[in-house]
Amino acid sequence: MQDTRAIDEYSLEELAALLERRRRIERARRFAASSEQPGFRPVTVLPMEGIETRPRKPQYRGLRDRILLFIEIIAALGLVAIILASLVNLESLNREVKQSLAATPNSIGSSADEELPASPFPPASNFAELPGSSFPPEPVPPALGLQLPAVAAIPVPTPGPKSPTRIVIPAINIDWPVVEGDGWEELKQGIGHHPGTANPGQRGNMVLSGHNDVYGEPFRDLEIIKVGEDVLVYSGTNAFRYVIKAKRVVTPTDLSPLAPSQTPIVTLITCTPYRIDTMRLIVIAELAP
């Protein structure tokens, strides 16, 4: 039944409902008119239920992430600075060692005609690792509750009259003094002669070890030496020429380079790779006729 009341007889709520109804009718009329135009595609509106929405990150999380990133960058820069400072200090130490050795004249040693006394030091087979390590030996802590007896210090090896005193490798500009012994303290002073091994010119295996990245880096370029090049080992004023025959890399616990030889050879030992020092580089040269 049609409502025949005058406009002023409607309440405010009824007038609002009539106005809303009129708006809906007008929107439906405009929609129907637009749907008749060419190219019109109806749009399906999905209900909001079941749609997952990601909550917005709180403002403080972005600030926290930026602070953590800043801290990580500062830590990385600090680590790089420490590494660079360590390398600079190491280079400075190597430079000082080289300058100190250059200012010290090479030892001439005793006459090569004298007989060499028997070596009082342990043979090569008694060692657990090849010499030449760039890392200082670690002290062994005593077991808890045990009192270890005092042990007399082992005397520093002294060179004999026929011991090697100098090594020269022209191809890689090596000219270093040779000291008796190849422990950590001896290798600070130059190339170390392994106690109990052969002397220059003698039949047997003469073992010489040196650092490649500390205390002057005497054997740094040993890895680029080639087969066929010369190694000169001095005993006093007498020079003995050896010719390189082989190169190889072994583990530090491989003691085969210390084995005796029936022919006069020199075995050169150093760490490798450079400043990683997990292996040993072995260079073997034979006495030239």
Side-chain angles (χ1 to χ4, degrees):
M1 179 172 131
Q2 187 176 2
D3 193 347
T4 57
R5 288 180 297 170
I7 191 65
D8 55 352
E9 296 179 358
Y10 287 91
S11 64
L12 291 177
E13 290 80 5
E14 291 175 332
L15 288 175
L18 287 174
L19 181 60
E20 181 62 28
R21 180 181 178 187
R22 185 62 179 242
R23 288 176 179 171
R24 287 199 300 269
I25 293 173
E26 186 64 27
R27 284 198 299 268
R29 184 181 295 113
R30 287 199 300 266
F31 181 77
S34 62
S35 63
E36 295 177 356
Q37 297 179 1
F40 173 78
R41 292 184 180 180
V43 179
T44 303
V45 180
L46 298 176
M48 294 298 294
E49 292 79 12
I51 299 180
E52 296 183 0
T53 58
R54 295 183 178 179
R56 296 182 60 185
K57 293 183 178 180
Q59 191 74 14
Y60 72 90
R61 291 192 60 183
L63 178 61
R64 183 191 64 182
D65 292 342
R66 286 194 291 270
I67 294 175
L68 291 177
L69 177 60
F70 178 75
I71 294 175
E72 291 176 359
I73 293 175
I74 295 299
L77 292 177
L79 179 60
V80 171
I82 292 174
I83 294 175
L84 291 177
S86 300
L87 293 177
V88 170
N89 291 336
L90 182 59
E91 292 294 338
S92 177
L93 175 62
N94 289 328
R95 198 162 45 244
E96 291 175 2
V97 171
K98 290 179 180 178
Q99 293 173 354
S100 175
L101 291 174
T104 304
N106 291 321
S107 175
I108 301 300
S110 305
S111 171
D113 296 331
E114 301 178 19
E115 290 296 329
L116 177 66
S119 172
F121 303 103
S125 58
N126 288 348
F127 291 82
E129 186 174 294
L130 291 175
S133 174
S134 295
F135 303 101
E138 297 182 0
V140 180
L144 296 177
L146 295 180
Q147 185 69 28
L148 296 179
V151 179
I154 299 177
V156 177
T158 54
K162 294 185 178 181
S163 297
T165 56
R166 179 184 173 199
I167 180 172
V168 177
I169 307 179
I172 53 177
N173 298 320
I174 286 180
D175 187 348
W176 278 75
V178 178
V179 298
E180 191 65 21
D182 50 14
W184 178 253
E185 295 299 326
E186 288 80 19
L187 292 186
K188 292 180 181 179
Q189 308 170 34
I191 306 301
H193 177 219
H194 195 69
T197 61
N199 290 317
Q202 291 182 345
R203 185 176 67 178
N205 182 13
M206 176 173 53
V207 180
L208 303 178
S209 305
H211 292 306
N212 77 327
D213 55 9
V214 293
Y215 294 109
E217 304 177 326
F219 275 171
R220 173 174 178 174
D221 295 330
L222 194 62
E223 60 184 13
I224 65 175
I225 201 170
K226 298 178 181 178
V227 172
E229 294 178 332
D230 292 344
V231 176
L232 302 178
V233 182
Y234 286 78
S235 177
T237 58
N238 296 329
F240 298 85
R241 186 171 72 92
Y242 293 79
V243 180
I244 295 176
K245 299 296 183 180
K247 292 172 56 179
R248 60 193 178 104
V249 175
V250 300
T251 62
T253 56
D254 183 356
L255 303 183
S256 59
L258 304 180
S261 172
Q262 295 300 319
T263 57
I265 63 173
V266 57
T267 299
L268 309 179
I269 303 177
T270 190
C271 292
T272 193
Y274 181 66
R275 287 187 177 167
I276 298 177
D277 305 332
T278 54
M279 304 292 284
R280 294 287 194 276
L281 173 65
I282 309 298
V283 176
I284 300 175
E286 186 175 349
L287 184 66

